[in-house]
Amino acid sequence: MASKIVEVHPGIYEIFLPLPMRPTIINVYLVDCHGAWALIDTGMNSPESIGTLEDTFRQVGIELEDLDVLIATHHHIDHFGASGQIRSRSHATTHIHKLEAARADRMLFFGRMGPADRPESRPFFEKHGFPIEEHSASGMRPAWMGTQMYFPVTEPDRFIDDGDVIEVGDRKFEVIWTPGHAPGHNVIFLRKEKVMIVGDHLLPKITPHVGIYPDAGEAANPLGDFIESQKKVQRFDAELILPAHGGVYHDHRHRANQIIEHHRCREDEMLDLVRGKPQTAFEVAQQVFGGEERPIFHVMAATFETLAHLEHARIEGRARRIERDNRVLFQTL
Amino acid sequence: MVEKTIELTGISANSVEDAVQLAISRAGVTIKGINAAHVEDISAIIENNRVLRWRVRIKATFLVKDELHE
Ligand SMILES: [Zn+2]
């Protein structure tokens, strides 16, 4: 069996935890702070994932109960889902951004209710062209929703924000706020070691989902935030980049440029489609992401990611928004 | 010197030029130094007697460079 833990830098361990969905692995990072231990992100609260954490911790000579500090990049299940379990066993001081703690809390409040189950969000689906009446709401939420697999800390010990430095033993974890994929997403930077733990912000092979959801508010521009956050991390000097999915790598500036370019090209494709004929986010998504049979959950994510692109283009003056018959259409300027 | 050639198909709702540009831009995210594109085939997708899409098949060429590993 392949080892589930690798020392990627002296005293910094990458642990591979299983996920029941794609991507199938999340990397979390255990840091020996010489006298204390810190963990960045948690995996899901499944028996397999917790078991892997226990086994790998033992390989470096500690128990899960010995953990001192927990830092989360954002509230998503694969990053923060086991935080409640880990904190109750270890009493680790738990850190997350305020916006993310609020989202974790909301997720628990809604329980099994996905966005499509909430009556107040139906007009949002409809105006963006999504045929919500044709699909059962249950198909639009992930299977883990409302289960024990998501067991987040809802009252963290500390909220973290841009520029904070969390001192643990002889390590200093700097917080770089990188909104986009999630509004309170943070990259954790070890300046002395030149190591950057990037969460989902800067993945080596895939790009994280960036979407506008019904509860986002009128001023939301998550794609604009995401691109700004890509430029922001380029201002830091790092030599080893530790992502939440995929292999460790070295050149974060190069990868950030690729991600910015990738989104620019995708926007060009979308604007090409709505140059002659105004269309809804749903219609554009069907063409750019493919309209073939796919889980409706993915169609929803594609629609809201397309909306994030079109809104970004509108805010930057490359597209306009037309409201017609309770539909929002976009057209290239 | 060695050049490498890849085949791409760009699709635009507007024009042949746009279809070529979209294909080249997308390839350029991961491939640096594309210096030529040869248009191999042009076709139009028609719906209700109107051109819905331009499909342009191109061969794009770039120089193969050795990357120094620091
Ligand atoms: Zn995430």
Side-chain angles (χ1 to χ4, degrees):
Chain A
M1 197 182 75
S3 175
K4 302 272 188 242
I5 181 165
V6 175
E7 188 172 16
V8 289
H9 191 274
I12 302 178
Y13 301 90
E14 180 178 32
I15 299 175
F16 309 103
L17 298 178
L19 297 174
M21 64 243 190
R22 287 169 74 85
T24 57
I25 291 170
I26 173 147
N27 314 322
V28 300
Y29 296 93
L30 177 65
V31 183
D32 184 353
C33 306
H34 310 101
W37 291 85
L39 181 68
I40 319 300
D41 287 344
T42 70
M44 283 171 73
N45 188 40
S46 66
E48 305 75 44
S49 189
I50 295 290
T52 308
L53 270 184
E54 290 166 341
D55 292 347
T56 51
F57 274 41
R58 276 185 206 122
Q59 288 180 48
V60 297
I62 61 169
E63 295 292 329
L64 192 58
E65 285 70 15
D66 297 328
L67 188 71
D68 301 285
V69 170
L70 181 59
I71 306 170
T73 58
H74 62 300
H75 79 283
H76 289 163
I77 185 166
D78 43 340
H79 301 262
F80 200 50
S83 57
Q85 156 103 262
I86 294 169
R87 187 172 68 170
S88 70
R89 287 175 54 181
S90 65
H91 307 289
T93 313
T94 303
H95 302 69
I96 192 167
H97 196 282
K98 199 178 219 154
L99 292 170
E100 298 300 295
R103 270 161 181 76
D105 203 32
R106 246 178 95 80
M107 295 265 290
L108 289 186
F109 175 76
F110 283 116
R112 296 279 303 147
M113 300 234 297
D117 296 286
R118 299 171 213 150
E120 71 275 16
S121 55
R122 291 184 81 90
F124 184 87
F125 280 82
E126 283 163 7
K127 76 180 177 184
H128 292 297
F130 193 94
I132 190 164
E133 59 297 329
E134 291 169 26
H135 302 282
S136 75
S138 59
M140 259 176 279
R141 60 172 112 83
W144 50 262
M145 219 178 159
T147 71
Q148 267 303 304
M149 293 214 262
Y150 193 53
F151 178 16
V153 167
T154 51
E155 282 171 26
D157 301 287
R158 279 184 210 140
F159 291 126
I160 47 174
D161 209 340
D162 198 32
D164 287 354
V165 179
I166 307 162
E167 291 197 36
V168 187
D170 61 357
R171 306 273 193 185
K172 287 191 168 85
F173 299 91
E174 287 184 41
V175 176
I176 308 171
W177 181 44
T178 49
H181 172 60
H185 188 289
N186 286 304
V187 160
I188 306 300
F189 181 48
L190 289 126
R191 187 176 295 267
K192 187 162 50 89
E193 296 84 345
K194 293 194 172 174
V195 168
M196 196 181 260
I197 301 171
V198 294
D200 282 347
H201 185 56
L202 263 170
L203 302 175
K205 290 276 183 283
I206 54 177
T207 56
H209 175 53
V210 178
I212 296 181
Y213 280 75
D215 49 6
E218 279 304 313
N221 181 14
L223 189 61
D225 296 340
F226 182 69
I227 289 165
E228 279 311 306
S229 298
Q230 293 299 342
K231 293 177 184 162
K232 185 177 190 177
V233 293
Q234 292 182 316
R235 298 199 287 268
F236 292 82
D237 259 317
E239 285 174 358
L240 183 65
I241 312 304
L242 308 180
H245 308 281
V248 306
Y249 63 103
H250 301 284
D251 193 346
H252 69 298
R253 293 192 175 103
H254 174 71
R255 183 58 186 149
N257 281 336
Q258 274 191 344
I259 291 173
I260 293 168
E261 276 289 286
H262 168 83
H263 284 94
R264 204 182 51 72
C265 284
R266 194 193 268 163
E267 184 186 297
D268 286 348
E269 288 170 28
M270 292 176 180
L271 291 181
D272 179 80
L273 290 168
V274 297
R275 183 159 288 127
K277 180 171 157 234
Q279 297 179 61
T280 61
F282 174 77
E283 290 169 316
V284 175
Q286 290 293 94
Q287 296 161 82
V288 171
F289 291 93
E292 64 275 16
E293 274 308 298
R294 286 184 300 155
I296 193 63
F297 180 68
H298 291 216
V299 177
M300 180 183 80
T303 300
F304 293 156
E305 181 143 348
T306 301
L307 180 59
H309 273 280
L310 294 169
E311 272 295 309
H312 178 241
R314 181 188 68 80
I315 288 161
E316 300 207 335
R318 294 185 291 275
R320 69 165 150 206
R321 190 180 155 119
I322 304 162
E323 310 239 354
R324 189 187 290 161
D325 306 330
N326 291 324
R327 287 277 188 280
V328 176
L329 309 171
F330 289 88
Q331 185 171 35
T332 308
L333 279 173
Chain B
M1 294 201 308
V2 173
E3 288 187 334
K4 191 167 177 171
T5 299
I6 52 165
E7 190 172 292
L8 302 161
T9 301
I11 303 167
S12 167
N14 297 293
S15 69
V16 171
E17 289 86 341
D18 286 349
V20 174
Q21 187 59 62
L22 286 171
I24 295 294
S25 296
R26 177 55 80 104
V29 175
T30 46
I31 299 166
K32 293 293 156 230
I34 296 175
N35 52 28
H38 193 270
V39 174
E40 300 283 305
D41 185 47
I42 298 173
S43 59
I45 298 167
I46 308 293
E47 206 179 84
N48 300 325
N49 299 326
R50 292 185 64 86
V51 174
L52 186 69
R53 299 271 189 277
W54 292 100
R55 283 175 60 97
V56 182
R57 190 157 54 84
I58 61 171
K59 282 191 170 157
T61 303
F62 56 96
L63 192 63
V64 179
K65 277 193 257 166
D66 286 330
E67 293 231 0
L68 286 177
H69 199 287
E70 316 132 278

